């Protein structure tokens, strides 16, 4: 009996070892990645969801499990990617430029040499929404008004400051600046606690629709003129943009609104494995038309313009795909 018991125990132990050995390869092949986005009412969050959806649908092909994390925005995402807390992040093109150059929030840290670009996404317009009863028709009318300029850690905060400065307005002295999150701004405006807010975002935007659909009537304030030309000369990552008024029936504007903008970009770290980056780029670019159906902001995307607005070095995994397909010489 003792020998029989010993034999059975040995068989059971061997079986357990074999099962464990058999499960190890499949486990080792699975890479878990998280994409840092922004507030859930902006375009960053659904963009992260769209990318993850396409990757997770092919999890058996790529061996990648993708999740999305709502964050405070561009600066947070870049820092979290570089610290290894996130594998990927979405960031404005100006923030990518500043991190690589060691400017703005990275002035004390110096150039962020491990930051890598993967591809660019939708254009983002610096959008200024103002309550009609506040009497704000142009940038000069902002003086003395209560204006939300964006929360610390977001890309839009610096955009707001740049635009205000270009028009001769000091955000600390000439306006009553609030620094709430973009998702909170429409409610603050409709409740009468602010007169206007900036939001750098792709259109259409859920937050902007919320702001234009309330009982308090609002309008988009144009950002145009010689001051914009000066801004574009000073900062190469800005470009002229337009807000399509047809997307917002509740706004008082009758025509498309001129402004300036940047691009949303997909970034990672030099330490992210080539095969993971290559797989994500391949899935998105090989199926771009399907990807474009996932959000109206992607309608203007082409394989060519998704390589524009990138100031960080391309990740080697992304570069491999672009060279294979002839998008990069």
């Amino acid at each position: 009996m003792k020998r029989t018991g010993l034999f059975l125990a040995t068989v059971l132990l061997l079986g357990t070892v074999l099962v464990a050995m058999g499960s190890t390869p499949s486990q080792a092949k699975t890479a878990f990645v998280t994409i840092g986005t922004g507030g859930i009412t902006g375009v960053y969050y659904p963009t992260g969801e769209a990318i993850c959806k396409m990757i997770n649908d092919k999890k058996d092909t790529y061996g990648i499990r993708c999740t999305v994390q709502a964050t405070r925005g561009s600066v947070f995402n870049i820092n979290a990617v570089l610290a290894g807390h996130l594998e990927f992040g979405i960031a404005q093109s100006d923030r990518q430029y500043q991190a690589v150059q060691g400017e703005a929030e990275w002035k004390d840290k110096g150039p962020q040499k491990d930051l890598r670009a993967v591809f660019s996404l939708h254009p983002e317009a610096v959008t200024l929404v103002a309550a009609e009863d506040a009497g704000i028709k142009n940038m000069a009318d902002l003086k003395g008004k209560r204006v939300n300029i964006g929360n610390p850690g977001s890309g839009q905060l610096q955009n707001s400051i740049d635009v205000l400065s270009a028009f001769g307005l000091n955000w600390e002295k000439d306006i009553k600046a609030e620094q709430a999150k973009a998702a909170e701004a429409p409610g603050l405006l409709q409740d009468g606690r602010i007169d206007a807010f900036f939001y750098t975002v792709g259109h259409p935007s859920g937050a902007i629709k919320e702001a234009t659909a309330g009982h308090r009537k609002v309008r988009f304030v144009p950002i145009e003129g010689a001051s914009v030309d000066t801004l574009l000369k000073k900062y190469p990552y800005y470009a002229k943009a337009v807000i399509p008024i047809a997307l917002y029936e509740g706004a008082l504007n009758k025509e498309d609104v001129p402004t300036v903008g940047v691009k949303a970009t997909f970034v990672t770290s030099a330490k992210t494995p080539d095969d993971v980056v290559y797989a994500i780029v391949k899935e998105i670019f090989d199926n771009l038309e399907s990807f474009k159906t996932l959000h109206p902001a992607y309608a203007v995307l082409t394989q060519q313009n998704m390589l524009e607005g990138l100031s960080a070095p391309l990740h080697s995994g992304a570069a491999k795909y672009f060279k294979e397909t002839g998008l990069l010489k």
Side-chain angles (χ1 to χ4, degrees), residues 131-173:
E132 178 68 3
D133 56 30
I136 302 170
K137 301 292 177 62
N138 54 52
M139 288 292 298
D141 292 336
L142 288 176
K143 195 164 186 176
K145 297 297 195 298
R146 297 164 297 171
V147 185
N148 189 60
I149 61 176
N151 60 290
S154 67
Q156 69 176 24
L157 176 60
Q158 190 62 47
N159 297 148
S160 304
I161 294 172
D162 288 346
V163 169
L164 287 166
S165 298
F167 283 83
L169 296 170
N170 185 305
W171 71 276
E172 295 176 298
K173 298 178 181 179

Side-chain angles (χ1 to χ4, degrees), residues 283-302:
E283 180 60 22
I284 300 303
F285 275 69
D286 282 359
N287 301 283
L288 185 56
E289 292 307 311
S290 296
F291 179 75
K292 288 165 64 172
T293 66
L294 299 178
H295 197 283
Y298 313 149
V300 298
L301 294 181
T302 66

Side-chain angles (χ1 to χ4, degrees), residues 33-56:
V33 301
T34 301
I35 301 174
T37 58
I40 59 175
T41 60
V43 184
Y44 281 15
Y45 191 83
T47 294
E49 286 190 316
I51 294 172
C52 277
K53 180 183 185 308
M54 294 185 73
I55 295 302
N56 288 335

Side-chain angles (χ1 to χ4, degrees), residues 78-102:
I78 289 173
N79 288 335
V81 163
L82 292 172
H85 302 315
L86 295 170
E87 285 71 38
F88 297 93
I90 303 173
Q92 292 176 193
S93 55
D94 54 325
R95 292 316 215 175
Q96 184 183 136
Y97 176 92
Q98 291 160 352
V100 170
Q101 298 297 321

Side-chain angles (χ1 to χ4, degrees), residues 61-81:
T61 301
Y62 300 123
I64 299 173
R65 296 298 296 271
C66 183
T67 57
V68 181
Q69 180 176 321
T71 72
R72 295 196 297 272
S74 297
V75 175
F76 178 93
N77 291 342
I78 289 173
N79 288 335
V81 163

Side-chain angles (χ1 to χ4, degrees), residues 21-283:
M21 289 177 65
S23 64
T24 301
S26 61
Q27 291 174 351
K29 290 178 181 178
T30 302
F32 294 89
V33 301
T34 301
I35 301 174
T37 58
I40 59 175
T41 60
V43 184
Y44 281 15
Y45 191 83
T47 294
E49 286 190 316
I51 294 172
C52 277
K53 180 183 185 308
M54 294 185 73
I55 295 302
N56 288 335
D57 284 348
K58 298 280 189 68
K59 61 181 181 294
D60 292 336
T61 301
Y62 300 123
I64 299 173
R65 296 298 296 271
C66 183
T67 57
V68 181
Q69 180 176 321
T71 72
R72 295 196 297 272
S74 297
V75 175
F76 178 93
N77 291 342
I78 289 173
N79 288 335
V81 163
L82 292 172
H85 302 315
L86 295 170
E87 285 71 38
F88 297 93
I90 303 173
Q92 292 176 193
S93 55
D94 54 325
R95 292 316 215 175
Q96 184 183 136
Y97 176 92
Q98 291 160 352
V100 170
Q101 298 297 321
E103 299 176 357
E105 278 82 356
W106 298 275
K107 186 175 182 180
D108 294 336
K109 298 179 182 178
Q112 301 301 293
K113 297 181 180 180
D114 278 346
L115 186 64
R116 292 292 181 269
V118 182
F119 50 75
S120 65
L121 290 154
H122 54 276
E124 298 192 284
V126 179
T127 306
L128 177 55
V129 181
E132 178 68 3
D133 56 30
I136 302 170
K137 301 292 177 62
N138 54 52
M139 288 292 298
D141 292 336
L142 288 176
K143 195 164 186 176
K145 297 297 195 298
R146 297 164 297 171
V147 185
N148 189 60
I149 61 176
N151 60 290
S154 67
Q156 69 176 24
L157 176 60
Q158 190 62 47
N159 297 148
S160 304
I161 294 172
D162 288 346
V163 169
L164 287 166
S165 298
F167 283 83
L169 296 170
N170 185 305
W171 71 276
E172 295 176 298
K173 298 178 181 179
D174 295 326
I175 65 171
K176 298 173 183 176
E178 298 289 342
Q179 296 187 46
K181 294 180 179 179
E184 300 170 358
L188 295 174
L189 187 73
Q190 287 297 328
D191 291 344
R193 288 184 282 173
I194 58 174
D195 301 307
F197 68 85
F198 284 95
Y199 190 12
T200 302
V201 68
H203 293 284
S205 159
I208 302 298
K209 285 189 174 183
E210 179 185 346
T212 59
H215 68 278
R216 195 181 189 195
K217 297 301 180 182
V218 305
R219 68 170 57 249
F220 295 104
V221 179
I223 301 173
E224 58 184 342
S227 296
V228 166
D229 294 333
T230 301
L231 178 72
L232 300 185
K233 289 180 181 178
K234 185 175 182 180
Y235 302 112
Y237 38 77
Y238 284 111
K240 290 183 179 180
V242 172
I243 302 168
I245 200 61
L247 298 174
Y248 304 102
E249 295 180 359
L252 295 175
N253 306 75
K254 302 301 181 185
E255 299 178 347
D256 292 347
V257 184
T259 184
V260 296
V262 292
K263 293 196 78 173
T265 64
F266 197 55
V267 300
T268 190
S269 163
K271 298 175 183 177
T272 305
D274 281 10
D275 59 337
V276 172
V277 177
Y278 179 88
I280 291 177
V281 173
K282 177 177 174 58
E283 180 60 22

